Amino acid sequence: MKYYSLNRNAPNVSFQQAVIQGLAPDKGLYFPEKITSLTQNFFDNIESLSNEEIAFETIRQFVGNEIPESELKKIISETLCFDFPTVKVDDNVFSLELYHGPTMAFKDVGARFMARCLAYFNRNNPDLHNTVLVATSGDTGGAVASGFLGVKGVDVVILYPSGKVSDVQERQLTTLGQNITALEVDGVFDDCQDMVKQAFLDDDLKSRNLTSANSINIARWLPQMFYIFFAYKQLKKQNKPIILSCPSGNFGNICAGIMAKRLGLPIARFVASTNANDTVPRFLENGKYEPKPSKATISNAMDVGNPSNFIRIQELYHHDLAEFEKDFSSYSFTDEDTKSAMTSIYGKTGYIAEPHGAVGYLGLKKEMEKRPGSIGVFLETAHPIKFPENVEPLLGITLDIPEQIQSVLGKEKKSVKITSYSALKDFLMVQ
Ligand SMILES: *Cc1c(COP(=O)(O)O)cnc(C)c1O
């Protein structure tokens, strides 16, 4: 499989090159040249397939012959080391829980898959070193740290804003050691992001083989299709049109859902549910794409003013707004809406949703009102324990601490404090 740059000013590359580079030299996101539907037989028999078998069928065309079948199966099986249940929350409403992995966020899936692909590509080359450089506002860093821990030939450098991530998130980033280094930046998330961008553009750092591990990287984004298929497998027997609502920040999940539909998955309608960062809902209203600086909300992993995967979604709909609107809705919700959804879900059903999932729930309910006879699924993208300050006082409960979280709480934090780009550069030069 070849990938082209969506800026269309860079050579086409292989899967391997696209994964290693992250972004094309013209700064465009990579996109597959060809998308082939899976067979009807696959969908007819999906209930009899294991998650690993489904994932293999889903991803194989995108990897092509660059990773041998047996090796790809092994990567998939190590990636999918946890469950993806759809839990009934309300009449015809299901939560697809993506938080049963090592860091309790959906980003575990993409991070684990990408790490193992890079390790395979570096297998015969002990001198080749990739440095994965990532800025995090919370969840990405932990998932990347855990997914890449101990992977040979890859160093991971994570930048996070000092004092702006939760205690659990900070420990997930800073306590692992080995090939993972956490740089604690005196600033906000945007400062971390700017430093990372500057490093990618810095010619002096070319020899460091820097790559990104957010959903611009195809090896993090494409495996996010897996669990949309798993949801379908569980909901197929309901025999009703399915609406999928994704609480959206960089729009990686919703874009993966649309890709899944291109592979034939019968999803009737997509809803991108956002917090106050409403660039896409505004676009659907007035046809103008006008990114704004991000606003802080209680669903902070979605505080994104210019969603990086939106360009891929436009490509999937051939940049045709009318075609896009046939499939896709997008709604924005305030923190007040989100809190009252969390309270009412808990009051009515006992289900504990955290702020991101609750935004997904709200978008789903809004769309379902317009489409009676449908069933809906929203992604629950993180475990409530990752946002206890927003969950516990609101619902008047104390959450049990799952084992994955317990194991990092007692560990000692290790970070390197930096205040400027030159400190990051110095650090990367000697790595
Ligand atoms: C990253 C993240 C999101 C946003 O997902 P996208 O695929 O970037 O839209 C939503 N919820 C949580 C908890 C996240 O960590």
Side-chain angles (χ1 to χ4, degrees):
M1 174 69 76
K2 289 276 184 203
Y3 291 81
Y4 61 96
S5 162
L6 289 177
N7 284 352
R8 294 183 165 76
N9 201 9
N12 292 0
V13 297
S14 63
F15 176 73
Q16 172 167 351
Q17 287 167 310
V19 174
I20 290 175
Q21 290 176 25
L23 209 57
D26 64 357
K27 315 282 176 285
L29 272 68
Y30 281 118
F31 197 83
E33 265 195 330
K34 199 160 162 256
I35 302 169
T36 309
S37 276
L38 301 174
T39 62
Q40 190 54 46
N41 190 37
F42 169 81
F43 292 104
D44 289 346
N45 295 314
I46 195 163
E47 299 100 318
S48 64
L49 301 177
S50 68
N51 282 356
E52 291 174 21
E53 287 165 333
I54 293 171
F56 178 73
E57 290 306 323
T58 308
I59 201 81
R60 66 193 299 187
Q61 64 175 296
F62 298 104
V63 177
N65 56 11
E66 295 177 51
I67 300 177
E69 212 176 288
S70 60
E71 201 61 40
L72 182 59
K73 286 185 172 160
K74 196 169 135 220
I75 291 174
I76 288 170
S77 127
E78 289 175 12
T79 299
L80 300 176
C81 58
F82 51 95
D83 293 334
F84 299 83
T86 50
V87 176
K88 187 168 173 194
V89 169
D90 210 340
D91 282 345
N92 297 317
V93 172
F94 297 83
S95 165
L96 174 60
E97 293 183 349
L98 302 178
Y99 59 64
H100 296 279
T103 73
M104 314 211 90
F106 78 84
K107 293 180 171 86
D108 282 328
V109 175
R112 295 174 72 76
F113 186 83
M114 178 182 164
R116 284 157 182 78
C117 289
L118 270 185
Y120 177 78
F121 296 142
N122 288 351
R123 69 201 177 283
N124 296 326
N125 204 342
D127 301 329
L128 185 78
H129 244 252
N130 292 112
T131 299
V132 168
L133 185 62
V134 57
T136 187
S137 57
D139 273 351
T140 304
V144 168
S146 154
F148 283 78
L149 182 67
V151 170
K152 283 204 195 75
V154 184
D155 293 319
V156 176
V157 178
I158 299 167
L159 280 74
Y160 75 98
S162 183
K164 308 260 177 347
V165 303
S166 74
D167 180 48
V168 167
Q169 288 175 329
E170 182 166 42
R171 283 182 205 267
Q172 287 181 328
L173 299 173
T174 57
T175 60
L176 292 174
Q178 297 188 47
N179 56 331
I180 315 290
T181 307
L183 301 182
E184 185 173 351
V185 176
D186 181 18
V188 295
F189 171 68
D190 290 339
D191 300 318
C192 302
Q193 185 72 42
D194 288 346
M195 285 190 203
V196 165
K197 281 190 188 149
Q198 201 174 340
F200 282 121
L201 298 175
D202 193 330
D203 282 336
D204 296 342
L205 294 171
K206 280 272 179 296
S207 63
R208 313 316 301 172
N209 295 319
L210 298 182
T211 193
S212 73
N214 43 38
S215 53
I216 61 167
N217 195 302
I218 54 162
R220 239 214 63 191
W221 166 57
L222 290 170
Q224 295 181 190
M225 285 189 293
F226 296 165
Y227 39 75
I228 315 295
F229 282 82
F230 304 163
Y232 175 72
K233 168 182 159 179
Q234 296 172 78
L235 297 177
K236 185 184 164 194
K237 57 179 175 295
Q238 310 263 342
N239 210 8
K240 288 184 185 153
I242 299 175
I243 301 174
L244 173 72
S245 171
C246 302
S248 297
N250 268 319
F251 283 59
N253 275 323
I254 190 112
C255 186
I258 298 165
M259 274 295 270
K261 183 165 183 174
R262 289 303 151 91
L263 296 187
L265 192 73
I267 300 290
R269 188 134 192 118
F270 297 97
V271 185
S273 305
T274 75
N275 57 27
N277 294 281
D278 61 352
T279 302
V280 173
R282 280 187 289 112
F283 170 74
L284 281 174
E285 254 168 41
N286 64 17
K288 292 192 200 124
Y289 189 76
E290 294 171 324
K292 283 190 187 160
S294 64
K295 292 185 200 129
T297 73
I298 57 167
S299 46
N300 62 11
M302 297 162 23
D303 293 350
V304 180
N306 187 7
S308 50
N309 283 289
F310 193 62
I311 182 76
R312 284 187 171 131
I313 297 182
Q314 288 184 299
E315 185 77 0
L316 281 161
Y317 290 109
H318 312 103
H319 300 263
D320 177 343
L321 187 58
E323 193 191 335
F324 185 38
E325 284 176 327
K326 276 190 209 144
D327 252 15
F328 192 96
S329 306
S330 188
Y331 307 115
S332 151
F333 300 95
T334 63
D335 281 353
E336 288 315 308
D337 298 333
T338 308
K339 286 186 205 161
S340 70
M342 290 165 66
T343 317
S344 85
I345 298 169
Y346 184 66
K348 246 188 350 192
T349 71
Y351 191 77
I352 302 170
E354 54 67 58
H356 304 79
V359 170
Y361 171 88
L362 282 167
L364 180 62
K365 289 295 261 192
K366 190 157 177 170
E367 189 68 25
M368 285 178 78
E369 280 168 20
K370 300 183 187 163
R371 297 173 197 280
S374 307
I375 56 169
V377 57
F378 66 95
L379 307 186
E380 189 34 294
T381 43
H383 192 287
I385 195 71
K386 299 198 79 175
F387 306 95
E389 64 286 2
N390 288 318
V391 175
E392 293 184 337
L394 183 70
L395 303 184
I397 56 174
T398 306
L399 296 163
D400 293 335
I401 302 180
E403 199 186 321
Q404 292 100 310
I405 303 294
Q406 202 104 48
S407 69
V408 295
L409 286 182
K411 288 201 189 142
E412 192 197 340
K413 162 183 160 182
K414 285 208 180 78
S415 69
V416 178
K417 292 205 172 171
I418 62 168
T419 52
S420 64
Y421 176 69
S422 68
L424 171 64
K425 183 167 174 172
D426 290 347
F427 180 84
L428 292 171
M429 292 294 273
V430 299
Q431 262 252 311

